[in-house]
Amino acid sequence: MPADKIIRIVDSHTGGEPTRVVLTGGPDLGTGPLNERLRKFKDEFDHFRSAIVNEPRGSDAIVGALLCEPVDPTCSAGVIFFNNTGYLGMCGHGTIGLAVTLAHYGRIERGIHRIETPVGIVQAELHDAEHVTVHNVPSFRTASGIAVAVEQFGMVTGDIAWGGNWFFVAHENPLEIRLSNLEALTDLCWSIRRALNANGITAPDGSEIDHVELYGPPTIPGANSKNFVLCPGGSYDRSPCGTGTSAKLACLYESGNLEPGQRWVQESIIGSLFEGSIHVDDGGIYPRIMGSAYVIAESSLFIQDKDPLRWGIRECQPTQVRQPG
Ligand code: PYC
């Protein structure tokens, strides 16, 4: 197959949530710190993001993971995560998927591996071919009991917390968390996001709170709760969300409902599980999230100059799709 550009990718899923690791053929972002490389990715190479995760090659649920050379020589890898609409600071399920993928190719062995992300270094502890504990960035709650009037649902209160991404962790949820309620759960989370934006409620640095988490009673014995997480691009997390569970653990700790070292089992809407705990060091809350991932495909993406949709379906580019005739 003649292709003007070939991108080699490996797909895995972590508790049902897909991760697409880009092994080769991604954009050349240089060798600077990962947050600078992320800026370059956004500003100059966003078409690669769209080509890799958007239709027709991908879907709204896929999180891309661009494998990068780390700056810090003590790190095994660097990674920049992205999705159907933009970029993620960190991604818990994606880090588990990345570690399992690297192990699949014999690039890492069992043990603890430092991984650079744009929001700091995390550690991935590979237990065996599928099981990984992510030692996440310090997580924290910045506001509690924030009340917003949500269209069609009334007042909803919740906490604002960081777990590598920004989350609104709702206190109330009138809906049962099950797949047959997907549309209503998604509507509620979008409405919460709209209400946060309409009321100018942001993270302390002005960033948008772009993930919303709802909680309900668990259905799997041994789990502590079941969640629904709406991601920035409108897709829901099939896994219990690593950064979302980290944010939740920080909220539980800060409200006196979780002790350091205490086990918290988070069930996702599809019934997959992450096991979490925190340790506290010098006032910082450090979450650990354990989950499993499976490699499901390896493939090559072909970018052909003659293909009008070679960079994926994205916000209208007038020159991208030629009119017939
Ligand atoms: O696992 O942290 C996570 C995550 C973020 C968005 C999708 N998954």
Side-chain angles (χ1 to χ4, degrees):
M1 154 76 69
D4 302 290
K5 179 161 249 329
I6 293 178
I7 301 173
R8 276 190 57 225
I9 54 127
V10 182
D11 284 334
S12 61
H13 79 85
T14 307
E17 181 76 350
T19 305
R20 176 163 286 177
V21 175
V22 178
L23 291 180
T24 59
D28 180 1
L29 304 177
T31 53
L34 279 219
N35 53 359
E36 274 176 22
R37 281 187 250 181
L38 168 60
R39 213 168 12 250
K40 196 162 182 172
F41 199 167
K42 265 186 200 166
D43 293 347
E44 298 171 33
F45 295 100
D46 192 59
H47 48 292
F48 272 87
R49 178 191 59 73
S50 168
I52 295 163
V53 296
N54 282 354
E55 294 177 5
R57 299 182 188 86
S59 78
D60 285 357
I62 293 183
V63 170
L66 179 71
L67 192 57
C68 303
E69 268 310 306
V71 178
D72 181 334
T74 67
C75 289
S76 303
V79 64
I80 298 175
F81 293 109
F82 50 98
N83 63 16
N84 55 334
T85 50
Y87 298 83
L88 294 165
M90 222 309 267
C91 181
H93 93 266
T95 304
I96 295 170
L98 173 67
V100 164
T101 297
L102 293 176
H104 178 83
Y105 289 97
R107 294 195 186 191
I108 61 169
E109 311 233 305
R110 281 177 202 206
I112 297 188
H113 302 275
R114 285 159 59 79
I115 306 212
E116 265 175 17
T117 77
V119 295
I121 293 175
V122 299
Q123 296 181 75
E125 185 173 357
L126 182 71
H127 302 290
D128 57 31
E130 289 93 33
H131 293 88
V132 176
T133 297
V134 177
H135 303 225
N136 198 6
V137 291
S139 300
F140 45 87
R141 178 169 78 174
T142 57
S144 69
I146 298 289
V148 278
V150 177
E151 223 177 290
Q152 288 175 12
F153 290 93
M155 292 308 283
V156 176
T157 54
D159 296 350
I160 299 202
W162 171 258
N165 295 298
W166 284 107
F167 289 84
F168 182 81
V169 181
H171 294 173
E172 300 95 19
N173 166 32
L175 302 168
E176 200 182 322
I177 298 186
R178 53 182 159 83
L179 276 177
S180 50
N181 263 346
L182 205 50
E183 211 175 312
L185 290 160
T186 302
D187 281 353
L188 172 55
C189 289
W190 271 126
S191 302
I192 292 175
R193 238 182 108 177
R194 268 198 303 276
L196 291 169
N197 288 336
N199 288 286
I201 298 168
T202 64
D205 66 356
S207 307
E208 187 181 354
I209 314 291
D210 58 2
H211 291 72
V212 177
E213 271 185 282
L214 305 174
Y215 285 86
T219 49
I220 294 184
N224 294 88
S225 95
K226 187 171 185 177
N227 71 7
F228 175 82
V229 180
L230 191 72
C231 298
S235 125
Y236 70 97
D237 199 331
R238 280 74 171 157
S239 85
C241 192
T243 50
T245 301
S246 298
K248 172 75 176 175
L249 295 179
C251 294
L252 286 167
Y253 172 71
E254 303 231 22
S255 56
N257 291 312
L258 186 79
E259 293 294 319
Q262 191 182 334
R263 185 168 171 265
W264 177 269
V265 179
Q266 186 61 59
E267 179 184 346
S268 77
I269 180 165
I270 69 157
S272 53
L273 299 173
F274 280 169
E275 195 178 311
S277 65
I278 55 152
H279 81 274
V280 178
D281 189 11
D282 208 13
I285 305 167
Y286 293 82
R288 290 186 182 168
I289 306 290
M290 208 271 282
S292 54
Y294 297 86
V295 171
I296 51 174
E298 57 176 7
S299 47
S300 298
L301 308 181
F302 298 132
I303 314 278
Q304 299 191 69
D305 286 348
K306 67 182 179 195
D307 176 359
L309 290 173
R310 61 193 174 282
W311 297 114
I313 299 174
R314 56 199 176 126
E315 206 53 47
C316 184
Q317 298 118 340
T319 54
Q320 190 187 27
V321 182
R322 271 192 221 111
Q323 298 302 319

